[in-house]
Amino acid sequence: MSDDQMPPARRRILDAADRLFYLNGINSTGVDAVIEQAQVARMTFYKHFGGKEALILAYLSGRETRWQTLLERSIERAGEDPRARLLAVFDALRSWATSETRFRGCSFVNAMAELADPDHSARAVITSYKGALRDRVLELAREAGAADPELLTDQLLLVYEGAISNHSLGNVDDAVDKAHFTAEQLIAAAVPA
């Protein structure tokens, strides 16, 4: 269901869950807090989601959709240069990291840490999201003509994930910008001019 077709109460619930789950954590945020912030009745919440697990899945799905949209726009803005298109992953990361009021890292990694049950339905969503990101970076590395696209993809994803962690922890000044520079260097070394 697209945002413009979504009932207003459902949109408010998702917006409240997005803020609260991201800022306070999934396990720390109860359904009552979401209901209160969304200003909906308990019955309305359960009508739309049936419970917290469905809300968690919708929260992660919304985050994935927004990230994919931002990523693809960044790639399009990079134009036809395959190196720039590959580096656009880090342009998107920069936009994402600076758009959050209080950046707490990757919502998928955070969710994976919180949802320890290996059978939790959200874990499949998280794994799928991270796998799709890897597939997209690998596709871009191949398009760029990397000598070893698998290795370059692994290197870029390690830099990407490290940038997210260090930016949210604040242990590296300008972590996302430094990751962008590091990615440029890796791409230049792996992709023939």
Side-chain angles (χ1 to χ4, degrees):
M1 171 183 318
S2 68
D3 278 354
D4 55 339
Q5 298 172 329
M6 191 178 297
R10 183 178 177 89
R11 174 80 270 149
R12 287 196 315 274
I13 294 166
L14 281 171
D15 288 345
D18 188 74
R19 281 188 303 277
L20 294 171
F21 286 169
Y22 186 72
L23 292 176
N24 302 329
I26 292 171
N27 290 336
S28 299
T29 302
V31 167
D32 289 342
V34 174
I35 289 169
E36 181 180 325
Q37 185 151 97
Q39 298 181 326
V40 296
R42 179 173 297 282
M43 182 181 282
T44 301
F45 170 82
Y46 285 103
K47 174 186 156 199
H48 287 284
F49 293 98
K52 188 173 179 180
E53 188 163 331
L55 181 60
I56 293 167
L57 294 174
Y59 156 71
L60 292 171
S61 177
R63 287 231 155 207
E64 179 178 15
T65 299
R66 289 194 311 275
W67 166 253
Q68 293 296 338
T69 300
L70 175 64
L71 176 61
E72 292 306 320
R73 283 186 185 144
S74 294
I75 292 168
E76 285 174 27
R77 276 195 300 272
E80 298 300 315
D81 177 4
R83 285 177 166 199
R85 291 171 58 80
L86 183 53
L87 190 59
V89 173
F90 289 84
D91 296 332
L93 175 59
R94 182 185 286 144
S95 294
W96 188 272
T98 57
S99 70
E100 292 287 348
T101 306
R102 191 177 107 217
F103 189 75
R104 283 195 61 241
C106 175
S107 48
F108 291 87
V109 171
N110 295 346
M112 184 70 111
E114 285 194 70
L115 306 172
D117 179 358
D119 296 325
H120 194 286
S121 56
R123 292 183 69 102
V125 173
I126 295 163
T127 302
S128 172
Y129 163 76
K130 289 296 186 180
L133 176 61
R134 186 182 196 290
D135 291 346
R136 187 64 171 120
V137 173
L138 180 59
E139 177 185 6
L140 293 167
R142 286 183 175 138
E143 289 172 5
D148 185 343
E150 296 270 349
L151 176 60
L152 179 59
T153 297
D154 290 345
Q155 290 170 329
L156 291 174
L157 289 176
L158 288 168
V159 171
Y160 172 92
E161 295 293 345
I164 292 171
S165 295
N166 283 291
H167 180 75
S168 62
L169 293 171
N171 357 335
V172 176
D173 292 336
D174 304 318
V176 174
D177 289 334
K178 287 176 181 168
H180 192 282
F181 177 75
T182 302
E184 279 183 89
Q185 300 302 306
L186 287 169
I187 292 167
V191 177

